Amino acid sequence: MMGDSAKLMTMALSAPGRGPVAGRSYLPGVLWLLLALLCAPAAAGREHAEPRGVAPRGPLLASEQAMVALFEAAAPSVAYITTEVIHSAGFFGAEVARGAGSGFVWDGAGHIVTNNHVVEGASHVYVQLDAGDPIEAQVIGASPEYDLAVIKLLHTPRNLRPIGLGTSSDLKIGQSVYAIGNPFGLQRTLTHGIVSALDRELPTSYEREIAGVIQTDAAINPGNSGGPLLDSAGRLVGVNTAIRSETGSSAGIGFAIPVDLVNRVVPSLIARGRAPLPGIGITPVRPDLVEQAGIAGVVIAEVRRGTPAAEAGLKPAT
């Protein structure tokens, strides 16, 4: 027996007020009507699926304009540095390890400043400026004690733009600073922060500490090493060198070598390939290790030849 719902469906498919007409079916026409009703909203939507107009806006904020101008002026002076280090692999093979970092144009003669750890041990060094092709360079001076190095382009472009120098002697905690570099190989990246502390001490791999280091919360990541830290006037105030992080990525604590130190060391690296070290010519054992050993005073780890310490007959601890 046909239920009530089936009866209603039969009535709907029949001509109103009349019985079914023999040899004629109304089913296809009704289906077309239902299909048209179902498709009508979609068709109507497609009629209005056009790109929206762009909402007008006024000029950039003054702070935005200043930051854009700073980047456009300084970015051509920032270098993307890549290195190749060749390691022997067996008797007849070799492996090439590649690294990357940042740097900046020091002068029109093709000298580029970077961190020593960026180029240390490199067999080949290449520098890319702005949107140009990589240019081979060679290390002409290095100071591991200050983690600074100078490389010289083997081919000097005509349009080199040395970076403007500032001073680090009058920096204030809280003032704005800007880092430009190549974090994770992402070229010409700008980050913004403040000077978060001054006069930090940064240990180097040569059992020395760099004094007067700038601390900043501007994002600094692997690949930023050797790049410039700028003040709001676009002047160099530091060389981004290290971060403090549990993960290896920016945790908001980065360190930059102060430009006043850089401006003393770099000319010596260019002229003599090395930088003179202050002091009497000794390398002390780290003070925390001396304290842990219960020793009072300075323990000598190394005495450099030709220094006042060597002439006085001082010897390293054994």
Side-chain angles (χ1 to χ4, degrees):
M1 178 181 291
M2 183 180 295
D4 292 340
S5 59
K7 291 179 181 178
L8 290 173
M9 182 62 69
T10 303
M11 290 174 60
L13 295 176
S14 302
R18 299 172 58 185
V21 179
R24 184 176 180 183
S25 174
Y26 290 87
L27 182 58
V30 173
L31 290 177
W32 278 110
L33 177 60
L34 291 173
L35 183 61
L37 291 174
L38 290 173
C39 294
R46 284 198 297 271
E47 291 176 0
H48 296 88
E50 299 177 356
R52 295 186 57 192
V54 177
R57 65 154 292 161
L60 297 176
L61 298 176
S63 59
E64 294 175 310
Q65 295 181 37
M67 195 176 302
V68 169
L70 180 148
F71 176 78
E72 291 178 347
S77 302
V78 179
Y80 177 42
I81 299 174
T82 54
T83 61
E84 294 180 353
V85 180
I86 300 176
H87 300 286
S88 60
F91 291 103
F92 304 104
E95 294 179 349
V96 179
R98 292 179 170 83
S102 303
F104 52 88
V105 179
W106 181 258
D107 57 28
H111 294 110
I112 309 294
V113 175
T114 186
N115 283 140
N116 177 69
H117 74 259
V118 172
V119 297
E120 187 173 25
S123 305
H124 298 282
V125 180
Y126 301 92
V127 175
Q128 185 173 356
L129 295 168
D130 210 358
D133 295 327
I135 303 172
E136 190 168 2
Q138 65 182 42
V139 179
I140 65 165
S143 174
E145 298 83 2
Y146 296 118
D147 200 7
L148 290 171
V150 175
I151 58 180
K152 192 173 190 304
L153 302 176
L154 298 184
H155 164 67
T156 305
R158 296 180 180 178
N159 58 344
L160 277 183
R161 292 174 59 175
I163 202 161
L165 291 186
T167 180
S168 50
S169 62
D170 59 0
L171 288 176
K172 305 294 183 185
I173 295 175
Q175 78 175 76
S176 293
V177 284
Y178 307 82
I180 304 179
N182 311 288
F184 304 109
L186 302 172
Q187 298 183 40
R188 304 181 69 187
T189 297
L190 171 70
T191 56
H192 170 223
I194 62 170
V195 174
S196 52
L198 292 167
D199 296 322
R200 296 299 196 205
E201 293 184 347
L202 183 64
T204 69
S205 58
Y206 285 76
E207 298 181 346
R208 293 185 62 90
E209 290 185 339
I210 306 171
V213 171
I214 304 162
Q215 180 180 313
T216 179
D217 68 348
I220 296 174
N221 286 290
N224 273 113
S225 292
L229 186 71
L230 309 172
D231 64 8
S232 57
R235 305 178 309 163
L236 180 75
V237 295
V239 178
N240 300 317
T241 299
I243 60 175
R244 184 162 188 171
S245 171
E246 298 295 330
T247 64
S249 298
S250 176
I253 301 180
F255 302 102
I257 302 170
V259 69
D260 292 347
L261 174 60
V262 175
N263 207 11
R264 293 197 301 269
V265 171
V266 167
S268 181
L269 296 181
I270 293 174
R272 293 181 289 276
R274 57 185 179 84
L277 297 175
I280 62 174
I282 66 168
T283 300
V285 176
R286 283 168 41 191
D288 59 324
L289 298 179
V290 174
E291 184 178 356
Q292 290 175 12
I295 301 173
V298 177
V299 177
I300 300 174
E302 178 189 5
V303 177
R304 293 186 293 277
R305 291 180 297 178
T307 63
E311 294 174 1
L314 295 181
K315 303 292 183 182
T318 56

